[in-house]
């Protein structure tokens, strides 16, 4: 399995990254996909019962997990309901989300040794799911958002993320007119949204410092080694994004 890891977080404390150039089979607790999860776990010296996934459904629900959740969504069922992010302070527990144009958001609190990961698409960005994870880390781990570091993994860039007028009404309700002007462009064909800039506004409002937010600036639509729903529609796999405390 090919993978890409980030060095924005200290490599001796935490590992964070995503899959690339693979078959994209990362189903929720599906035996046919166990082999991929086993390869991922082996890459980092753990076993599949130290991976955790949730049922994603474009919510703003965040699940706090610990070692007792190990293997959920991979080799056994997990929490009932839908979640689009997880937070934890458990070591050697890899929390994962899948995406195929949406934004994977990675969070790391070095002061309290805690992490989070979020799947934020159009609906999740409107619902400010990433900021909800920050709030959860603040409540559970005493995280100071000003000291929190964040990475945006690969997602579809504004050029290729075209929406219709009815699809942008949620952004107009959540974000100010001035903010929307900075991440929504339009032409005769429709509206084009920069999800990363919208999420950045949300996270800065939640207390993160601008310099602590890193965008990898890799577009899933343009990079053929990554899956993109907009590009491939009839052949859709997923990228798995992961983060783990060492």
């Amino acid at each position: 399995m090919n993978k890409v890891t980030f060095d924005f977080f200290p490599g001796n404390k935490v590992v964070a990254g995503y899959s690339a150039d693979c078959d994209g089979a990362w189903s929720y607790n599906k035996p046919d996909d166990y082999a991929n999860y086993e390869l991922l776990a082996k890459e980092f010296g753990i076993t599949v019962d130290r991976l955790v996934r949730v049922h994603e459904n474009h919510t703003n629900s965040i699940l706090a997990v610990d070692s007792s959740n190990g293997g959920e969504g991979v080799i056994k069922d997990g929490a009932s309901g839908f979640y689009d992010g997880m937070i934890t302070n458990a070591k050697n527990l890899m929390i994962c989300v899948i995406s195929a144009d949406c934004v994977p958001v990675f969070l790391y609190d070095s002061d309290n040794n805690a992490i989070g990961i979020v799947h934020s698409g159009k609906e999740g960005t409107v619902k400010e799911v990433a900021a909800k994870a920050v709030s959860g880390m603040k409540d559970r781990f005493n995280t100071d958002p000003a000291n929190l570091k964040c990475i945006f993994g690969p997602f579809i860039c504004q050029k290729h993320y075209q929406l219709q007028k009815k699809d942008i009404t949620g952004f107009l309700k959540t974000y100010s007119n001035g903010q929307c002007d900075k991440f929504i462009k339009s032409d005769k064909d429709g509206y084009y949204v920069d999800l990363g800039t919208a999420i950045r506004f949300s996270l800065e409002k939640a207390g993160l410092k601008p310099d602590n937010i890193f965008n990898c600036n890799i577009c899933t639509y343009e990079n053929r080694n990554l899956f993109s729903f907009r590009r491939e529609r009839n052949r859709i796999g997923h990228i798995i994004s992961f983060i783990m405390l060492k």
Side-chain angles (χ1 to χ4, degrees):
M1 187 197 86
N2 291 330
K3 66 184 187 308
V4 178
T5 54
F6 300 107
D7 58 11
F8 187 68
F9 298 154
N12 62 326
K13 298 289 186 179
V14 61
V15 61
Y18 60 92
S19 62
D21 195 21
C22 68
D23 65 10
W26 303 102
S27 299
Y28 184 90
N29 191 20
K30 184 177 179 181
D32 289 349
D33 296 346
Y34 285 178
N36 282 346
Y37 288 109
E38 287 174 345
L39 285 173
L40 175 62
K42 187 177 180 181
E43 287 280 347
F44 297 99
I46 58 174
T47 52
V48 289
D49 61 355
R50 300 299 294 171
L51 304 178
V52 188
R53 271 210 51 210
V54 286
H55 268 307
E56 299 168 23
N57 196 34
H58 303 284
T59 69
N60 69 342
S61 298
I62 303 296
L63 183 67
V65 298
D66 57 31
S67 292
S68 67
N69 300 101
E72 291 182 356
V74 179
I75 57 174
K76 61 183 179 180
D77 285 332
S80 60
F82 297 107
Y83 298 88
D84 280 83
M86 286 173 281
I87 57 174
T88 191
N89 63 353
K91 290 186 176 181
N92 298 312
L93 184 71
M94 182 171 281
I95 53 178
C96 311
V97 296
I98 60 169
S99 60
D101 281 339
C102 298
V103 188
V105 180
F106 307 79
L107 300 166
Y108 174 54
D109 173 4
S110 59
D111 291 341
N112 297 288
N113 214 31
I115 54 175
I117 194 165
V118 172
H119 159 261
S120 186
K122 175 175 68 71
E123 294 180 36
T125 303
V126 167
K127 298 171 184 175
E128 299 187 276
V129 62
K132 183 79 174 291
V134 173
S135 177
M137 293 179 72
K138 184 178 179 180
D139 291 345
R140 186 169 288 264
F141 308 125
N142 200 32
T143 293
D144 180 353
N147 296 328
L148 194 61
K149 285 194 170 186
C150 172
I151 297 171
F152 298 161
F155 64 95
I156 192 166
C157 65
Q158 184 174 29
K159 174 183 176 181
H160 298 291
Y161 192 42
Q162 180 185 336
L163 299 173
Q164 298 306 307
K165 188 173 183 178
K166 63 181 177 62
D167 299 316
I168 67 164
T169 55
F171 293 110
L172 300 175
K173 293 177 181 178
T174 299
Y175 300 91
S176 71
N177 290 338
Q179 290 173 331
C180 288
D181 287 344
K182 293 181 179 179
F183 68 82
I184 302 175
K185 296 179 180 180
S186 64
D187 62 19
K188 62 181 178 60
D189 296 317
Y191 296 81
Y192 302 83
V193 175
D194 179 355
L195 290 174
T197 297
I199 297 169
R200 177 180 285 273
F201 282 135
S202 180
L203 290 175
E204 289 180 5
K205 183 176 70 173
L208 272 72
K209 294 180 179 178
D211 288 347
N212 284 345
I213 302 173
F214 171 75
N215 186 345
C216 77
N217 287 315
I218 297 173
C219 175
T220 48
Y221 190 99
E222 294 179 351
N223 190 318
R224 293 280 173 174
N225 290 324
L226 301 174
F227 286 95
S228 167
F229 176 78
R230 291 259 170 162
R231 187 186 67 230
E232 300 182 83
R233 297 207 182 259
N234 294 325
R235 179 187 168 270
I236 187 63
H238 291 92
I239 303 161
I240 192 165
S241 297
F242 51 84
I243 186 169
M244 179 181 73
L245 290 169
K246 293 183 177 179

